[in-house]
């Protein structure tokens, strides 16, 4: 049994920037000798999230629109009253989507659908550099 932690960095524009990180995850995997097990992709920070989607511009925009309806930018957030950093919407969005995504690892590759990618979502109200972790557990 092996437990391996890899890391990569992603520069984002914020404001619900959605970035395909599937190749980054596969690169991290190829640096480990683990063939079968479980892979968890996790972002450090409370205004970003990791999820999965078909990475094509139509549905990515549909997701961004749905998130805007769930936690609009232009309403009052108590977080902003407290900290005045103006990103209350980003914290709420990140909590709703979640900060990690787990996927089985089989014969050295991620068990994903043909049209299924792993995405990093950055909700903050400014560009960020994000640390994304790939935890590989298996043999
Ligand atoms: Zn904040």
């Amino acid at each position: 049994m092996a437990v391996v932690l890899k890391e990569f960095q992603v520069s984002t524009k914020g404001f619900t920037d959605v970035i395909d990180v599937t190749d980054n995850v596969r690169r991290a995997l190829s640096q480990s000798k683990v063939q079968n097990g479980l892979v968890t992709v996790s972002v450090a920070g409370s205004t970003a999230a990791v999820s999965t989607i078909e990475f094509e511009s139509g549905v990515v925009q549909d997701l961004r629109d749905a998130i805007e309806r769930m936690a609009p930018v232009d309403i009052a957030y108590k977080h902003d009253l407290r900290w005045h950093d103006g990103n209350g919407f980003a914290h709420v969005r990140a909590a709703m989507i979640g900060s990690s995504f787990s996927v089985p690892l089989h014969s050295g590759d991620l068990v994903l659908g043909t049209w299924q990618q792993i995405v990093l979502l950055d909700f903050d109200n400014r560009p960020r550099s994000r640390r994304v972790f790939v935890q590989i557990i298996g043999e």
Side-chain angles (χ1 to χ4, degrees):
M1 240 270 291
V3 180
V4 180
L5 185 65
K6 300 286 182 185
E7 178 185 343
F8 60 86
Q9 296 227 353
V10 182
S11 294
T12 79
K13 298 198 251 321
F15 294 100
T16 314
D17 199 2
V18 182
I19 296 166
D20 182 357
V21 296
T22 314
D23 285 347
N24 304 66
V25 175
R26 287 213 165 97
R27 250 190 311 278
L29 268 182
S30 69
Q31 294 162 8
S32 87
K33 302 229 184 307
V34 182
Q35 288 294 301
N36 296 286
L38 183 69
V39 177
T40 300
V41 183
S42 181
V43 62
S46 60
T47 53
V50 177
S51 189
T52 180
I53 195 167
E54 177 179 344
F55 193 76
E56 63 84 15
S57 57
V59 77
V60 167
Q61 188 57 48
D62 290 334
L63 176 65
R64 298 176 86 235
D65 293 346
I67 290 168
E68 179 63 33
R69 288 191 294 272
M70 287 195 300
V73 171
D74 58 355
I75 62 171
Y77 289 88
K78 294 185 174 58
H79 175 74
D80 297 336
L81 294 175
R82 197 177 158 90
W83 294 107
H84 304 287
D85 56 357
N87 67 353
F89 67 93
H91 290 284
V92 171
R93 291 173 179 198
M96 289 193 301
I97 304 295
S99 65
S100 70
F101 171 75
S102 291
V103 60
L105 173 66
H106 180 70
S107 297
D109 199 12
L110 305 166
V111 181
L112 291 171
T114 307
W115 308 110
Q116 182 184 15
Q117 280 77 41
I118 302 170
V119 288
L120 171 69
L121 301 94
D122 198 326
F123 301 114
D124 214 344
N125 57 355
R126 60 190 171 93
R128 299 286 303 256
S129 177
R130 294 295 187 177
R131 299 174 72 193
V132 181
F133 295 89
V134 182
Q135 172 90 80
I136 307 154
I137 300 173
E139 54 190 18

